[in-house]
Amino acid sequence: MAESGVRVEGNALLLGEGAQVRFMRTLRLPETGTHNLPPGLGEFPLRRVEDYPDTVPADWLAKGGVMLPVYLREAMWLSFGGTREPTALQVGVGKVCAVSGERWTGALGRRPQNYLVLLRQPWLDGINSGTGTVRQFVAVPLGLGATVEGQVTGEETAGGVQLQAFPLGAKALARWREEERERARTVRAPRGGGLPYGTLPPGSEPGGGYAGGGYGAAPGMPAPPPMAAPAPGGPPGAPAPAPAASAPASAWASAAGPQRRSGGGPVPQAAPAMGLGVGGSMRQEVYRDDRKAKDWASEPAARVFVHLVTPPAWRRITGEEPPPSPVDRAAYTKAGLPWFDYYDEGGADLGPSGTLGQVQPVGEWLGTDEAPWAEPSPGQIAPLGDVPRPGKPVQDGDW
């Protein structure tokens, strides 16, 4: 099996030579109204599928990639804060493009644009479903029709998240590097340090970014119970956090441990298939590419399949405890902790996908479980913006 051009460093995915992706835990938004950006509450732990050949399902091994544990209806966002060089990043949810709403093709497209532009895009919280807004990524089991994949294609066969990164071509990359060197020589950094667009200084990302990756605990909330391989600082706990909603028994039944082959070897159990549906709407732009199409490399530098794992399956496959259940958003807001609003004066919003605009939130499929909601006060909204390879390689497979 060939390497994918992806490496795992801690809980970060390094794609090719320039891009970095981290999967962030966050507060799930109400499905009505439009909201500010929720905080980052720590990283999801990542593990390579190939490291668990005796306990992961055979089809996962065939696809390769990585896996992370996620609760039913838990929300997530993708952080690109460690990206160092321009990258065209494709994001698939069940092999449906989260930007264009079209089926995964593996090739860059401009009409419609089917990729994000890094470094310009600092993060992605959901599908490109509105003008200046996205609908939040929310985990749901396959088989109920609630995923983006199910609603767009009419079937649920892929699940998970797919990432593919295209670097700049050799000439365009050399030109960009020279421009960066010239900028560093001629532009005096503003007080506090100047950074390229799309690169946020430590402490300014939602949840408070810190050098070395990961988001620390928000001040004023107690630390959660310890988890296996926690992110630096760990996600914040909350007084009386709301438990995760119950999933269908078939998806969330506790596993009794691996069975044994007749020859004594373990037989990997099937794991519940998980995908991404959508939740509430938030203010976030998906930026239009202002480069020429020929500037990008014709072949990707990296691609990876990200499997979403239920907590019981994570425990059985890895032998590790999953992170604690998601924090309650009412307790977070009541504690006076920050929400965020990002603004980039030079960025042009990409038009929303008509297909993705029709995707309904998971509450329409699974039933509502909304707790009472109180908007954060204006003082809780923090403005952001205008401000040798380590790790283990990840194997690629057939997907």
Side-chain angles (χ1 to χ4, degrees):
M1 188 178 293
E3 289 186 6
S4 60
V6 177
R7 303 180 75 83
V8 175
E9 184 181 62
N11 294 324
L13 288 177
L14 309 178
L15 287 78
E17 296 299 318
Q20 178 176 290
V21 179
R22 290 175 290 160
F23 293 84
M24 307 304 302
R25 307 186 78 197
T26 190
L27 302 175
R28 182 163 60 89
L29 298 174
E31 293 179 355
T32 57
T34 300
H35 306 277
N36 289 103
L37 302 178
L41 300 179
E43 302 166 346
F44 286 95
L46 285 179
R47 299 291 179 267
R48 301 189 308 166
V49 168
E50 65 209 75
D51 289 336
Y52 302 91
D54 295 330
T55 51
V56 298
D59 61 320
W60 292 19
L61 284 175
K63 292 177 180 176
V66 297
M67 55 186 174
L68 62 84
V70 63
Y71 289 84
L72 175 68
R73 291 189 174 184
E74 183 172 9
M76 70 167 60
W77 54 275
L78 279 59
S79 168
F80 314 126
T83 296
R84 300 178 303 180
E85 293 184 338
T87 302
L89 180 69
Q90 293 181 311
V91 179
V93 286
K95 299 184 75 171
V96 172
C97 177
V99 176
S100 70
E102 297 189 338
R103 294 197 185 215
W104 183 270
T105 65
L108 295 183
R110 298 292 283 262
R111 294 191 177 93
Q113 182 177 311
N114 65 357
Y115 58 92
L116 304 172
V117 183
L118 314 185
L119 303 155
R120 170 71 75 184
Q121 192 81 35
W123 45 63
L124 183 69
D125 285 65
I127 61 172
N128 180 32
S129 57
T131 301
T133 64
V134 301
R135 275 203 173 271
Q136 189 174 42
F137 292 133
V138 175
V140 287
L142 270 61
L144 304 178
T147 62
V148 176
E149 176 186 6
Q151 295 188 55
V152 171
T153 71
E155 56 186 11
E156 295 181 317
T157 59
V161 177
Q162 299 76 40
L163 301 174
Q164 185 162 258
F166 289 76
L168 285 176
K171 291 183 178 179
L173 181 59
R175 185 169 61 250
W176 178 83
R177 288 174 174 171
E178 179 56 35
E179 290 170 353
E180 288 298 291
R181 286 191 291 267
E182 182 64 23
R183 186 189 65 82
R185 286 193 298 265
T186 60
V187 178
R188 183 175 180 179
R191 188 172 184 178
L195 294 168
Y197 66 71
T199 304
L200 301 179
S204 67
E205 291 188 79
Y210 293 90
Y215 297 148
M221 300 192 78
M227 58 181 260
S246 298
S250 61
W252 287 83
S254 298
Q259 301 173 342
R260 309 298 295 181
R261 291 192 182 96
S262 58
V267 176
Q269 295 184 5
M274 297 282 285
L276 290 180
V278 299
S281 177
M282 72 187 77
R283 300 176 184 91
Q284 183 174 101
E285 293 182 328
V286 177
Y287 293 114
R288 184 183 304 278
D289 188 5
D290 57 6
R291 296 181 182 276
K292 297 178 180 179
K294 66 180 182 181
D295 283 350
W296 299 109
S298 59
E299 296 294 331
R303 73 172 204 156
V304 64
F305 196 108
V306 182
H307 304 264
L308 306 181
V309 187
T310 64
W314 177 266
R315 187 180 294 111
R316 175 176 56 80
I317 291 170
T318 67
E320 302 174 9
E321 285 301 311
S325 60
V327 69
D328 174 68
R329 64 176 178 250
Y332 182 95
T333 301
K334 185 178 180 180
L337 299 173
W339 295 69
F340 301 89
D341 186 17
Y342 183 77
Y343 176 68
D344 184 342
E345 183 177 14
D349 184 37
L350 187 67
S353 162
T355 301
L356 296 179
Q358 301 302 311
V359 174
Q360 298 299 307
V362 297
E364 296 291 328
W365 298 78
L366 306 184
T368 182
D369 69 341
E370 298 291 351
W373 169 247
E375 289 286 344
S377 66
Q380 289 178 263
I381 309 301
L384 300 176
D386 282 338
V387 293
R389 306 284 284 168
K392 296 181 179 180
V394 176
Q395 289 186 348
D396 192 16
D398 183 11
W399 49 271

